[in-house]
Amino acid sequence: MELELREIAHNMARRRAAQAEFGQSERGETAHFAHAAARVLQGLSANQVKRCGEDLIDLIDREVPVAALQKLANREKPSVVEIRAVARQLAAKRAEQAQLDPVFAWVGELFGLDPAEITILTIFARWGKFECWRELVRRAPLSCSNLTPSAVAQLSGLANNTVEQKLMPGAPLFASRLLHDDRDGEYSLSPLLRRLIRVHAETREDMLRWLMPEPEQGGLLWDDFEHLDPLRSVALKILVSKEPVSILLFGEPGTGKTEFARSLASEAGSGAIFAGLSDDFGNEPDRSERLDHLMILRAMCRHHRDRVIVVDEADDVLMMSERKGSSKQWINRLVEAPQVTTIWIVNQRSRLDPAVLRRMTLAIGFDRPRFAVRERVAQRSAETASVSLNTAELREIASLKSPPAVVAAGLKAAHLASGGADVAKTAIHSVMRALGQSCAPDAPGSSVYDPNLSRADTDLSCLAERLAATPDRGWSLLLSGPSGTGKSAFARHLAQVMGLETEERRCSDLMSPYIGETEQNIAEAFAKAAERGALLLIDEVDSFLYRREGGQRSWEVSQVNEMLVQLEHLRTPFIATTNLADNLDPATQRRFTIRAVFHAMTPAQASKLFKARFGIDWPLDWPVHEGQTPGDFAVVAHRARLLSEREPAVLLRWLREEIDARSGHSRGVMGFHVPDANVPTKLMSTNGRKAA
């Protein structure tokens, strides 16, 4: 008696658990389960009834008890007739709409599924959500514990060939990423489908809002991306057309790619919807989950042309052709025929297959914005972070070679630390160091630079005026001459006269130990300058343009060839400087549109620059030096500021020592050494001793 009571209590507990599983909101699920169980029972043969009839009766009695179960003569050995009676009563259960039914009706509408495909999808969904369905499959004589086409056919009542056709590779159920083909004869629910069956959406609009939330607003404005023109304008016109295309945004982290995607969509009157930013629990989704979300967004946005899908950090998604079980052809098709305009954001373009890159309608590279834009962004970031900056501090921060996101983070750090510009700069430098990069500003143009104080074989002032006046920007200029004669300073001055920023590259920026990468860096430097509309300046160009007959390796020759190709197809002003013009390949000399040779200053020029730099006249009793260069004055002026030196005799001695240093002579005494007041300055040698 006690044993029977315990068994009754156990059965009642199992029934309560089953009812709790379905829940009040899942009332219609009882009928769906009853109908599936009825189909399983109706398909049992006599031998199958003997083998698994008891297990099925036990499951059904727990989940959906019917009157026929109470009439069983022997529950351990039910007869075929008794099983058929139970099946008829289960099949007669009145159908009620369950919560999942409208969800899958909406999903079927979104993906264009036919009734059979929707039925198959609901079988998979219920098998994935409810333990009783999984147990039904395990207890039935289906020879599997997972769902196969034959199991789906028996549970749904569809014909076997129909189910097999709907579960063929590439069929809509798989193309939509709702189901996954495990490639072993079995199938599984995609993470997206698992999320859908947990959605508590009362209406279709509720489900759409959950899957396609309102677009986020960016922190940068459309005008903050003016440095991307003309590509920015082209991208806007493409989006306004509402034709589905793929657009690639690539560049270093923090350069504003994500913010630009938001601003572009907003400017085009659309909303940016981000695919797969997180999973159900707010964690990082895997590649499969991101693709699942992308596919359902594509399905939904086909009817919402005012939306743009953004796939941020898309490197892993577009590289899925390298992953096991992924199709390169499918990825290529995804990019080539996006159905909805899709913006793909990557950090390293080189990691993508060329076949993927070729299928992009437009590709926009992100680099450091122009100074005016950087200054505006820094000002707005400072205001947001409540950090007060004066004009000089703002310009100094804007001059740093760091992405806008790093600048904003640095200013936020300054606010949290109750600091100012110094704290912000410290924070910015720390992040850039962690990135393995320097954010030191480019060498600024001299505030006292005057082309009339540089000596060359052409009139530099006239040259600057004429080049600034011409609308043609496809020209090149070779500046050669000894170091310190003002070649780079003139290049920066010319850019300033033309209203252009200077895109500077040095040998260390372009040289790479990997074969082919130096040539790639050279091409990239020209492309970036052209996209930004900047003047490209390459110092020490003899590092690349040396005589090809002197090249001992194939890559040495290929570097020269790459530079020659770029010189033939210029889209932006290019200036190269060299101290060793005789070492340049003769073919490259001919490729430059204009050539100018710099020399040391004349005595008259040196005297004027002395006045401009130090605010005093050249002493009348000291002959003006021959062979002085503007670079000498820059070095001596910096030293004088550091040491608070104003004595003309010391300044002149230091200038003379710079000339001697270039000729290989000893630099003499350094530091604060002041000439003996009793010795006439005109008799002093460069080391402060009396002349012989």
Side-chain angles (χ1 to χ4, degrees):
M1 183 68 176
E2 182 179 353
L3 181 62
E4 293 179 356
L5 290 174
R6 281 203 303 267
E7 184 177 353
I8 293 173
H10 179 64
N11 289 336
M12 291 179 63
R14 294 172 69 183
R15 288 179 182 177
R16 284 195 298 269
Q19 292 170 358
E21 178 186 17
F22 284 125
Q24 186 63 28
S25 62
E26 307 290 349
R27 289 176 303 175
E29 290 298 341
T30 302
H32 284 293
F33 177 80
H35 296 161
R39 297 185 189 102
V40 170
L41 294 180
Q42 288 168 349
L44 295 178
S45 65
N47 287 334
Q48 290 172 336
V49 169
K50 292 179 181 179
R51 190 169 69 250
C52 59
E54 180 185 1
D55 287 341
L56 288 171
I57 289 298
D58 181 62
L59 172 64
I60 293 168
D61 190 29
R62 187 184 75 202
E63 302 296 336
V64 281
V66 292
L69 293 173
Q70 307 304 320
K71 299 179 181 180
L72 294 177
N74 186 350
R75 294 176 65 95
E76 296 181 358
K77 295 181 179 180
S79 66
V80 173
V81 174
E82 291 173 325
I83 287 292
R84 297 287 187 269
V86 172
R88 286 194 295 273
Q89 291 190 4
L90 290 172
K93 283 282 185 181
R94 185 170 61 88
E96 297 182 67
Q97 188 180 64
Q99 187 176 16
L100 287 180
D101 294 333
V103 171
F104 284 104
W106 303 330
V107 170
E109 180 184 347
L110 285 174
F111 288 96
L113 303 179
D114 62 29
E117 289 164 339
I118 295 175
T119 298
I120 294 171
L121 193 61
T122 60
I123 296 297
F124 275 96
R126 290 185 164 97
W127 175 83
K129 185 172 184 178
F130 301 116
E131 173 61 30
C132 59
W133 281 76
R134 293 190 291 275
E135 195 167 346
L136 177 62
V137 173
R138 287 195 297 268
R139 296 192 181 197
L142 299 176
S143 302
C144 66
S145 60
N146 207 330
L147 285 180
T148 61
S150 60
V152 172
Q154 191 161 2
L155 292 171
S156 64
L158 296 172
N160 278 322
N161 61 345
T162 299
V163 176
E164 290 175 354
Q165 180 185 2
K166 299 302 182 181
L167 293 179
M168 290 286 289
L173 287 172
F174 299 118
S176 63
R177 306 287 298 183
L178 292 168
L179 294 180
H180 287 173
D181 186 351
D182 294 340
R183 302 182 184 275
D184 58 359
E186 296 182 346
Y187 310 94
S188 60
L189 283 69
S190 70
L192 172 64
L193 183 55
R194 294 184 187 277
R195 296 179 71 181
L196 280 172
I197 62 181
R198 291 197 295 269
V199 174
H200 295 285
E202 297 295 333
T203 64
R204 180 176 182 273
E205 287 65 33
D206 289 341
M207 186 188 72
L208 292 179
R209 277 193 293 270
W210 177 78
L211 290 169
M212 194 169 59
E214 287 299 315
E216 298 180 16
Q217 295 299 316
L220 297 179
L221 305 178
W222 179 247
D223 291 341
D224 293 334
F225 298 99
E226 61 183 21
H227 60 286
L228 297 177
D229 276 329
L231 289 174
R232 181 185 70 151
S233 300
V234 173
L236 178 59
K237 292 177 180 178
I238 289 175
L239 258 66
V240 169
S241 73
K242 305 299 182 184
E243 288 297 318
V245 297
S246 284
I247 296 177
L248 178 68
L249 307 183
F250 63 92
E252 293 295 324
T255 49
K257 303 183 293 296
T258 303
E259 294 291 332
F260 175 73
R262 290 193 180 102
S263 296
L264 175 62
S266 177
E267 193 72 14
S270 303
I273 305 299
F274 284 77
L277 290 181
S278 63
D279 62 12
D280 281 352
F281 306 101
N283 300 321
E284 178 187 7
D286 60 28
R287 298 178 183 88
S288 181
E289 288 174 318
R290 299 185 71 194
L291 269 178
D292 293 342
H293 193 204
L294 171 61
M295 296 309 296
I296 197 168
L297 287 179
R298 279 164 49 113
M300 291 187 296
C301 290
R302 283 201 302 265
H303 309 288
H304 295 78
R305 287 297 183 92
D306 60 337
R307 298 298 177 94
V308 174
I309 299 174
V310 180
V311 186
D312 207 351
E313 303 291 343
D315 310 64
D316 61 341
V317 174
L318 294 178
M319 288 175 62
M320 280 196 70
S321 59
E322 300 178 7
R323 313 290 176 182
K324 182 180 179 181
S326 299
S327 167
K328 179 177 178 179
Q329 183 179 8
W330 188 83
I331 292 292
N332 292 342
R333 184 63 179 168
L334 190 67
V335 175
E336 189 173 31
Q339 299 181 6
V340 180
T341 293
T342 305
I343 298 177
W344 308 88
I345 300 177
V346 302
N347 294 329
Q348 297 183 1
R349 175 191 53 179
S350 59
R351 297 177 62 192
L352 301 185
D353 191 306
V356 171
L357 294 174
R358 285 199 306 270
R359 287 168 167 79
M360 297 291 175
T361 303
L362 189 68
I364 303 178
F366 280 68
D367 197 8
R368 195 168 49 123
R370 298 188 182 98
F371 179 80
V373 176
R374 299 200 306 271
E375 190 174 32
R376 188 166 62 240
V377 172
Q379 177 66 51
R380 191 181 307 119
S381 298
E383 292 173 354
T384 302
S386 301
V387 176
S388 179
L389 300 176
N390 59 39
T391 303
E393 291 171 336
L394 179 63
R395 292 183 65 84
E396 189 174 0
I397 289 178
S399 297
L400 297 177
K401 296 188 337 186
S402 53
V406 177
V407 172
L411 289 166
K412 182 179 180 180
H415 168 70
L416 296 174
S418 301
D422 290 341
V423 175
K425 287 186 290 183
T426 299
I428 292 169
H429 278 278
S430 71
V431 174
M432 295 304 293
R433 181 186 177 190
L435 292 171
Q437 302 175 21
S438 169
C439 65
D442 292 326
S446 171
S447 59
V448 295
Y449 179 79
D450 182 348
N452 294 316
L453 299 181
S454 291
R455 182 184 171 202
D457 61 355
T458 186
D459 187 331
L460 297 177
S461 295
C462 180
L463 177 62
E465 291 176 3
R466 292 190 177 187
L467 289 176
T470 179
D472 186 358
R473 290 292 186 260
W475 52 261
S476 57
L477 174 59
L478 176 64
L479 306 179
S480 61
S483 61
T485 49
K487 302 182 293 296
S488 298
F490 173 71
R492 299 185 192 103
H493 168 76
L494 179 56
Q496 188 175 20
V497 171
M498 297 176 67
L500 302 178
E501 283 205 9
T502 306
E503 187 81 13
E504 295 194 35
R505 291 292 185 272
R506 300 174 182 83
C507 174
S508 58
D509 298 326
L510 302 175
M511 294 293 287
S512 171
Y514 301 106
I515 294 177
E517 197 163 293
T518 298
E519 294 89 328
Q520 182 178 335
N521 292 341
I522 293 171
E524 186 73 9
F526 279 90
K528 283 186 177 181
E531 289 176 3
R532 295 183 61 195
L535 182 149
L536 177 61
L537 169 62
I538 298 183
D539 277 322
E540 302 173 353
V541 75
D542 44 273
S543 300
F544 304 103
L545 298 184
Y546 39 69
R547 294 176 179 270
R548 280 173 288 184
E549 59 267 24
Q552 300 182 12
R553 302 173 182 84
S554 61
W555 51 264
E556 292 178 326
V557 176
S558 65
Q559 292 173 11
V560 179
N561 292 338
E562 180 61 38
M563 287 293 293
L564 292 174
V565 169
Q566 295 299 331
L567 285 169
E568 288 286 352
H569 303 89
L570 288 173
R571 294 183 292 148
T572 196
F574 168 52
I575 299 179
T577 70
T578 179
N579 302 335
L580 305 170
D582 292 340
N583 291 351
L584 298 184
D585 189 277
T588 65
Q589 295 250 22
R590 296 194 303 271
R591 294 296 201 286
F592 282 95
T593 312
I594 306 169
R595 295 183 292 275
V597 181
F598 281 64
H599 306 284
M601 305 170 72
T602 65
Q605 289 174 322
S607 179
K608 289 181 181 179
L609 189 52
F610 187 87
K611 172 71 173 179
R613 279 287 189 180
F614 306 114
I616 55 178
D617 293 323
W618 193 290
L620 294 176
D621 55 351
W622 194 304
V624 180
H625 304 153
E626 293 283 352
Q628 209 78 68
T629 68
D632 299 339
F633 283 90
V635 171
V636 170
H638 186 207
R639 188 188 307 162
R641 285 195 302 272
L642 289 174
L643 305 179
S644 301
E645 183 60 68
R646 296 284 298 171
E647 177 61 42
V650 177
L651 298 176
L652 293 176
R653 175 167 54 80
W654 286 348
L655 286 170
R656 183 69 221 184
E657 288 170 353
E658 294 302 318
I659 298 175
D660 293 341
R662 283 199 304 278
S663 62
H665 296 159
S666 172
R667 292 176 71 83
V669 179
M670 297 295 294
F672 289 97
H673 181 79
V674 179
D676 191 335
N678 296 321
V679 181
T681 38
K682 64 181 179 180
L683 298 178
M684 298 293 294
S685 70
T686 58
N687 61 9
R689 298 187 182 124
K690 291 183 180 181

